[in-house]
Amino acid sequence: MDKENLNLTVDNLFKKIKHFLITNLGKVEKEASIQEFYTAFCFALREEIMTNWLATEKSFEKQNTKILYYLSMEYLPGKFLNNNVTNLKANDLLKELLKKSNRKISDLLECDSEPGLGNGGLGRLASCFLDSLATQKYPAIGYGLRYQYGIFSQELWEGKQIERPDCWLLNYFPWEFKKDFHSVSIYYKGSLIPATNSHGDEIFHLEDYEEVRALPHDIPIIGYSHQSDFSVLTLRLWSTKESPKNFELQRYNAGELGEAGENNSLTDVLYPNDNNEVGKRIRLKQEFLLACASLQDIFRRFEKNYDNVYLFPEKVEIQINDTHPALLIAELMRRLVKNYDMPWEKAWDITKTSCNYTNHSTLKEALEEWNEKRVEYLLPRQYKTIQKINQMFCNEVRQKFPNDEEKIQRLSFFANGQIKMSHLAIYGSKKINGVSQIHEEILKTKLFKDFYDMYPEKFLNINNGVTPRRWLLNCNPSLSQFITSKIGKEWITDFKKLEKLHDFADDKESQEEFIKIKKNNKTRLIEFFYKENPIRNYKGKIVGRFPCLPENSLFDVHIKRFHEYKRQLLNALHLLILYDELKRDINSRKIKRMVIVGGKAAPGYTIAKQTIILFFCIARKIHLDAKVSQKLRLALIENYNVSKAEIIIPAADLSEQISTAGLEASGTGNMKLALNGALTLGSIDGANIEMKNLITEKWWPFSFGKTAEEIKEARPTYKSWEIYTKNPKIKKAIDTLKDGSLVKTEEEHRALTNLYERLLTTKERMADYYFVLSDLESYYQTQKKVEELFLDKNLWAKYAIHNIASMGYFSSDYSVENYAKNIWKLQKCPIDENILKMVKAEYFDIS
């Protein structure tokens, strides 16, 4: 945009802001607070988005295209303002507008709240996919839940995790549109009245049920385009918070306060603690809410354009993102047979042709098993449908394996009073995909081997990816400009163009540019630490900030949700070894190391919470040692989220991806960090394997640890005690957990002692189940290699540039193209030019 047109656009936008402030808030611009100005700006920008949003929807309708419906319990989009401005290519516009209004961009961005819709990689991936679907102009809609208080906001009181409500909706959230007229009813509990449809198939009516009203809130997802024809997709989030039907006043007046508000609070919190009956009940209700509300909306959209339900699989593609929404399969069957009077067999053909399932974890806890009695009580009609689907499935297995009742028992949805939702998802889906090469092999040869024996054609692998818009263009503008100056701007929408960057890895000038960019990003992170990352005492009072080492230090980053398989404990034990060596000889290490650790632990996950306490104890120990703290520092990130990741990731030198081999399905943090120029310290797990293959071993220097097969072979005879007794430095580090040298309170002592026992003497299961001690020596030696390479800044930069140049395969653009081609059979649907002209003409007529 030339200067003249830019000024005209700025003037026009400024007029809209002033108009909004006067007509909606009763303020003139100069008197408006920054929060009020932010709201007015977002509303003005929304007008620019709305024309393309409406044109996108109308283009889908006109072309009668198949539409993807993507269901996920989690989304982690991050803040919308900066990303929307970037995707609209309106950065210069925003700068000029703020200059004209004499306001700071940092103040404006501070007003933008971060939606609390997810927890980790699952939600971040779902958001990346929506960005890529919009950018690649695929017809799609995302469905999720609008969590009033997120998962939680984390405070660390002397390392103890305290869960607070995530009040992201405290102020008006300008990016959502409430659509009351599309609200739907969900029915729980009740008594069954048997009947049959016209084909003689059993159906059930329901009486004395519990009705819950779900209200939709739509968020526009803006695709990036070099032209003005950007697509805008819809993320529809369901809420039970604002419907008066969901509050049972009779119960409230009877003193039953919890029961009275239960249905009103179904979308209050993501993953409520399920260590109690109420938590289990609400989680099951949440999952059915997402499945049932979304399915009703899918049918509403379908019936708007088609009057023949048998066209459903030709026009509807449903993606179940992980196991949480699997109840959709039972509900789809129930509706087709009852509401649309369809024969059972035909309904099943449509269901298994329309649905697909992505598995994201091999961990039992993530595969969603529900107590059979709880499902029967809360969802009696769906329970009957699941029973019938399971019977049909078991008969099918018997036909193929007539003399193998054990296989039938393994495959059955029902076992030990539980219903295996992953089994329902697999049987009811057309395709089942893993998200990395090793993950897919584990699904086929171990976790779902019996299903693979039945349906080998269903299984395939599609690698995860991350959107280059948010995770490079938006969060690391200096590196983005560096890349564009070398290879042009096409990489923004065609990430494979990054491979051209290899040509600059040997160039001394390019290396120096990269080093300078990294240094500036570290400066920004250090400023963040001093301003926004607190240390709290045992009462929660802020008593200081985590001190940092200077920018020439190695910034060693480990940012993930806390879980034993992600092995934060491995990092902690290495820190104890490193501290001991520096304590004995401060010159034993030639570099300074700034270790940055962030992540949340699930509210009911005691071991994960105790691991956070351990890190705090280590950080305090280092801080109080004037000598060691000159070479080593540890900072804990409180309430790690997308916004903080956008500051930390560009500053990282070393990316810790150290999960137990065979347990990380893929990971996407590894991709984001490598994309921003961090070298990976990686176990042989998840997408680390594909990254290593594409980056090549020559430029992937820090691989360590046992393979998944080696762990499998070693597990029956593995004794962590033997490693502990034979390796003096490991023994000394582990003894520190028990000898009291790290702790100041009894609670800290109990936490660290429990970790000690978990590694060596636990009776619950085998000690050191996640092979921390087994890989610790390899990890320790690899960390020495890290330090040796970091001594040569230009050589490190050369490695980093080669790593960035090899990341084109890990764009979510590439991932969704693979899904579209190999699973969804989805065609792109760009905005119809005439429709866009028509909508804009009507808009300009009234503006």
Side-chain angles (χ1 to χ4, degrees):
M1 189 182 297
D2 60 42
K3 186 68 175 176
E4 183 178 353
N5 284 329
L6 179 62
N7 289 336
L8 285 172
T9 307
V10 169
D11 289 342
N12 185 44
L13 194 62
F14 203 31
K15 287 177 184 177
K16 290 180 180 179
I17 290 170
K18 289 178 176 179
H19 183 265
F20 179 89
L21 286 169
I22 291 172
T23 57
N24 289 273
L25 301 178
K27 289 284 184 75
V28 294
E29 187 272 326
K30 291 194 178 299
E31 294 177 0
S33 69
I34 187 63
Q35 182 70 43
E36 290 166 335
F37 184 88
Y38 157 79
T39 303
F41 171 73
C42 291
F43 267 81
L45 198 63
R46 272 177 24 162
E47 290 190 21
E48 304 300 317
I49 297 166
M50 285 301 297
T51 53
N52 283 58
W53 197 0
L54 180 57
T56 302
E57 293 272 353
K58 288 195 168 295
S59 296
F60 294 169
E61 293 174 12
K62 179 182 177 181
Q63 296 186 34
N64 288 331
T65 185
K66 177 192 273 192
I67 297 177
L68 167 70
Y69 300 95
Y70 192 89
L71 276 73
S72 180
M73 282 291 285
E74 289 189 42
Y75 293 90
L76 266 180
K79 293 186 175 186
F80 277 100
L81 177 58
N82 209 23
N83 194 70
N84 285 350
V85 168
T86 297
N87 278 13
L88 291 168
K89 302 183 300 303
N91 301 82
D92 292 339
L93 176 68
L94 179 58
K95 287 176 186 175
E96 291 301 316
L97 176 70
L98 293 174
K99 189 188 298 182
K100 188 179 184 73
S101 61
N102 197 29
R103 297 177 187 268
K104 295 179 182 177
I105 190 167
S106 57
D107 294 337
L108 195 69
L109 295 176
E110 187 65 30
C111 295
D112 202 35
S113 60
E114 180 169 331
L117 304 175
N119 180 33
L122 181 70
R124 188 54 242 156
L125 180 78
S127 294
C128 285
F129 276 13
L130 290 187
D131 176 275
S132 288
L133 285 163
T135 298
Q136 299 296 316
K137 304 183 186 301
Y138 284 109
I141 296 167
Y143 289 106
L145 298 182
R146 182 181 181 264
Y147 303 106
Q148 188 79 14
Y149 304 115
I151 184 166
F152 59 83
S153 180
Q154 179 197 57
E155 290 183 2
L156 299 176
W157 295 13
E158 290 194 341
K160 180 181 179 181
Q161 175 176 286
I162 303 296
E163 293 107 23
R164 301 289 196 195
D166 179 356
C167 299
W168 67 282
L169 290 170
L170 186 63
N171 294 315
Y172 180 78
F173 185 61
W175 301 112
E176 69 177 3
F177 296 74
K178 186 179 174 185
K179 300 289 183 72
D180 295 52
F181 46 88
H182 287 161
S183 62
V184 296
S185 291
I186 319 294
Y187 301 107
Y188 299 101
K189 303 180 184 178
S191 302
L192 296 179
I193 303 172
T196 58
N197 66 9
S198 66
H199 307 282
D201 296 305
E202 188 176 41
I203 59 174
F204 294 94
H205 301 291
L206 196 65
E207 65 179 12
D208 301 326
Y209 48 77
E210 192 174 272
E211 180 181 0
V212 173
R213 199 72 177 156
L215 304 179
H217 296 71
D218 291 354
I219 297 176
I221 306 298
I222 302 166
Y224 185 95
S225 176
H226 295 296
Q227 309 300 325
S228 61
D229 62 344
F230 57 91
S231 290
V232 182
L233 300 183
T234 301
L235 172 58
R236 172 156 285 191
L237 303 175
W238 300 101
S239 172
T240 62
K241 197 66 183 172
E242 298 177 42
S243 176
K245 279 192 175 184
N246 299 338
F247 185 74
E248 299 186 57
L249 187 60
Q250 200 76 11
R251 282 188 162 186
Y252 180 85
N253 288 332
E256 300 173 1
L257 306 188
E259 295 89 340
E262 180 172 301
N263 289 333
N264 192 252
S265 66
L266 291 185
T267 55
D268 274 6
V269 176
L270 168 64
Y271 302 144
N273 189 347
D274 60 357
N275 288 349
N276 57 74
E277 175 56 32
V278 174
K280 289 181 171 70
R281 187 169 67 241
I282 289 178
R283 283 187 68 162
L284 178 56
K285 282 185 169 184
Q286 280 185 338
E287 292 184 7
F288 182 66
L289 174 75
L290 171 62
C292 185
S294 303
L295 189 57
Q296 289 182 68
D297 198 60
I298 291 168
F299 272 114
R300 179 189 63 78
R301 291 173 184 272
F302 174 80
E303 290 168 358
K304 186 177 178 181
N305 294 315
Y306 312 103
D307 56 10
N308 180 0
V309 73
Y310 288 92
L311 292 174
F312 193 84
E314 296 177 28
K315 301 300 180 182
V316 171
E317 199 74 21
I318 299 171
Q319 188 67 37
I320 297 170
N321 191 38
D322 220 357
T323 321
H324 311 110
L327 283 163
L328 178 138
I329 290 168
E331 179 65 3
L332 177 55
M333 272 299 291
R334 189 194 70 78
R335 285 181 176 273
L336 289 172
V337 173
K338 179 181 179 293
N339 296 14
Y340 294 90
D341 192 29
M342 191 177 288
W344 176 273
E345 293 78 9
K346 184 59 184 175
W348 184 244
D349 284 342
I350 287 176
T351 297
K352 68 182 182 180
T353 306
S354 304
C355 298
N356 307 284
Y357 164 52
T358 300
N359 174 275
H360 283 281
S361 179
T362 62
L363 298 178
K364 186 176 185 294
E365 67 205 50
L367 295 175
E368 295 299 294
E369 292 186 6
W370 286 113
N371 179 274
E372 190 176 340
K373 296 296 182 185
R374 188 178 296 111
V375 175
E376 185 178 16
Y377 172 63
L378 289 176
L379 306 169
R381 294 180 296 174
Q382 292 72 26
Y383 174 76
K384 290 290 188 182
T385 304
I386 293 170
Q387 278 188 317
K388 188 168 181 179
I389 295 172
N390 183 60
Q391 185 60 52
M392 178 174 63
F393 175 51
C394 290
N395 291 339
E396 195 175 319
V397 178
R398 282 191 182 93
Q399 288 180 356
K400 190 163 185 176
F401 302 97
N403 301 313
D404 196 344
E405 282 299 314
E406 287 187 4
K407 182 183 281 286
I408 294 167
Q409 290 175 13
R410 291 196 303 270
L411 284 167
S412 172
F413 304 172
F414 295 84
N416 303 316
Q418 298 287 107
I419 304 177
K420 301 175 181 178
M421 302 310 296
S422 59
H423 289 205
L424 173 64
I426 292 170
Y427 184 51
S429 293
K430 175 179 60 183
K431 293 291 182 181
I432 298 94
N433 73 283
V435 291
S436 72
Q437 182 182 346
I438 186 175
H439 177 224
E440 179 63 21
E441 285 304 307
I442 289 170
L443 296 187
K444 293 193 296 188
T445 61
K446 297 176 186 175
L447 190 64
F448 299 136
K449 182 182 183 303
D450 289 321
F451 279 100
Y452 183 68
D453 291 342
M454 282 286 294
Y455 312 110
E457 72 285 353
K458 283 190 174 190
F459 288 79
L460 74 162
N461 171 53
I462 296 182
N463 272 68
N464 283 345
V466 298
T467 168
R469 269 77 60 186
R470 180 175 287 274
W471 292 109
L472 185 52
L473 183 65
N474 181 45
C475 80
N476 201 342
S478 298
L479 184 58
S480 299
Q481 289 165 15
F482 166 80
I483 294 170
T484 300
S485 71
K486 305 298 179 187
I487 65 172
K489 66 179 182 180
E490 289 80 9
W491 64 269
I492 299 170
T493 52
D494 184 359
F495 218 39
K496 291 181 182 178
K497 300 287 188 189
L498 275 184
E499 63 186 13
K500 296 179 181 178
L501 205 59
H502 283 297
D503 296 340
F504 299 90
D506 281 317
D507 177 49
K508 187 85 169 179
E509 185 178 332
S510 296
Q511 293 168 7
E512 293 295 337
E513 284 183 69
F514 175 83
I515 291 167
K516 184 178 179 181
I517 291 166
K518 185 66 72 174
K519 180 179 181 294
N520 291 338
N521 286 332
K522 288 180 179 181
T523 300
R524 179 182 173 219
L525 177 57
I526 291 169
E527 290 172 357
F528 161 79
F529 276 124
Y530 284 129
K531 291 179 181 177
E532 299 181 45
N533 195 53
I535 300 174
R536 299 179 189 269
N537 66 12
Y538 72 99
K539 292 183 177 180
K541 182 181 178 182
I542 295 175
V543 294
R545 309 285 174 180
F546 283 98
C548 289
L549 290 172
E551 292 89 343
N552 62 351
S553 311
L554 174 78
F555 276 42
D556 177 353
V557 171
H558 198 174
I559 41 176
K560 295 180 177 293
R561 66 185 174 91
F562 273 79
H563 196 292
E564 287 171 279
Y565 89 87
K566 292 183 182 288
R567 296 201 296 190
Q568 282 92 348
L569 198 48
L570 183 62
N571 191 349
L573 291 174
H574 174 257
L575 280 168
L576 289 172
I577 294 171
L578 188 54
Y579 173 82
D580 180 63
E581 292 180 352
L582 288 168
K583 183 74 173 173
R584 287 185 284 112
D585 178 9
I586 195 65
N587 296 315
S588 62
R589 297 303 169 98
K590 298 174 184 176
I591 70 164
K592 296 177 181 179
R593 183 187 293 256
M594 180 70 223
V595 180
I596 297 155
V597 176
K600 297 178 180 178
Y605 198 170
T606 301
I607 292 294
K609 288 183 168 183
Q610 291 173 338
T611 305
I612 299 175
I613 291 174
L614 171 59
F615 273 109
F616 178 82
C617 291
I618 296 171
R620 181 177 59 202
K621 185 81 170 177
I622 295 170
H623 178 62
L624 294 174
D625 192 313
K627 197 174 180 182
V628 172
S629 61
Q630 295 173 24
K631 279 282 186 75
L632 177 66
R633 287 283 189 180
L634 167 61
L636 281 173
I637 306 296
E638 183 178 84
N639 198 38
Y640 174 68
N641 56 20
V642 173
S643 299
K644 292 176 182 177
E646 289 173 341
I647 300 171
I648 297 165
I649 287 173
D653 293 309
L654 187 68
S655 165
E656 299 267 0
Q657 309 297 328
I658 58 178
S659 54
T660 308
L663 294 182
E664 183 71 85
S666 170
T668 53
N670 46 6
M671 302 171 191
K672 296 165 200 160
L673 282 151
L675 180 58
N676 281 272
L679 299 188
T680 305
L681 174 57
S683 56
I684 307 166
D685 194 28
N688 290 355
I689 295 171
E690 281 92 339
M691 287 171 65
K692 179 182 178 181
N693 289 341
L694 286 164
I695 292 170
T696 73
E697 193 158 350
K698 181 178 181 180
W699 306 114
W700 183 271
F702 307 135
S703 188
F704 79 96
K706 284 185 168 61
T707 65
E709 280 304 312
E710 288 170 339
I711 288 176
K712 180 184 176 183
E713 291 173 12
R715 194 173 287 284
T717 58
Y718 175 58
K719 292 181 174 60
S720 58
W721 188 266
E722 293 179 357
I723 297 171
Y724 167 76
T725 55
K726 291 178 182 178
N727 190 313
K729 66 175 174 289
I730 290 177
K731 183 179 187 302
K732 188 170 184 179
I734 292 176
D735 285 345
T736 309
L737 302 179
K738 201 176 180 183
D739 65 13
S741 61
L742 288 173
V743 303
K744 288 191 174 182
T745 68
E746 182 57 33
E747 184 175 13
E748 290 175 356
H749 178 66
R750 285 196 303 270
L752 271 58
T753 300
N754 195 34
L755 294 174
Y756 173 94
E757 292 172 353
R758 196 78 164 182
L759 290 170
L760 295 176
T761 63
T762 183
K763 294 178 182 178
E764 297 175 17
R765 59 183 176 190
M766 65 173 284
D768 192 19
Y769 183 83
Y770 295 97
F771 280 62
V772 172
L773 301 194
S774 175
D775 279 351
L776 182 51
E777 180 62 32
S778 174
Y779 180 74
Y780 170 82
Q781 296 297 338
T782 307
Q783 286 280 20
K784 284 194 166 183
K785 293 180 184 177
V786 169
E787 295 178 2
E788 286 300 318
L789 184 60
F790 193 71
L791 286 170
D792 188 334
K793 303 293 187 188
N794 285 84
L795 184 58
W796 184 281
K798 178 179 176 178
Y799 273 79
I801 293 169
H802 276 301
N803 273 246
I804 296 168
S806 301
M807 290 301 293
Y809 178 75
F810 299 100
S811 165
S812 51
D813 293 353
Y814 185 68
S815 299
V816 300
E817 284 184 357
N818 280 334
Y819 275 96
K821 178 182 177 182
N822 298 313
I823 295 181
W824 303 328
K825 309 302 180 187
L826 200 64
Q827 300 298 315
K828 293 184 179 183
C829 184
I831 289 180
D832 184 287
E833 185 179 342
N834 292 325
I835 290 176
L836 183 58
K837 285 179 180 177
M838 179 271 292
V839 173
K840 285 192 172 184
E842 189 161 327
Y843 167 70
F844 287 125
D845 281 346
I846 60 174
S847 60

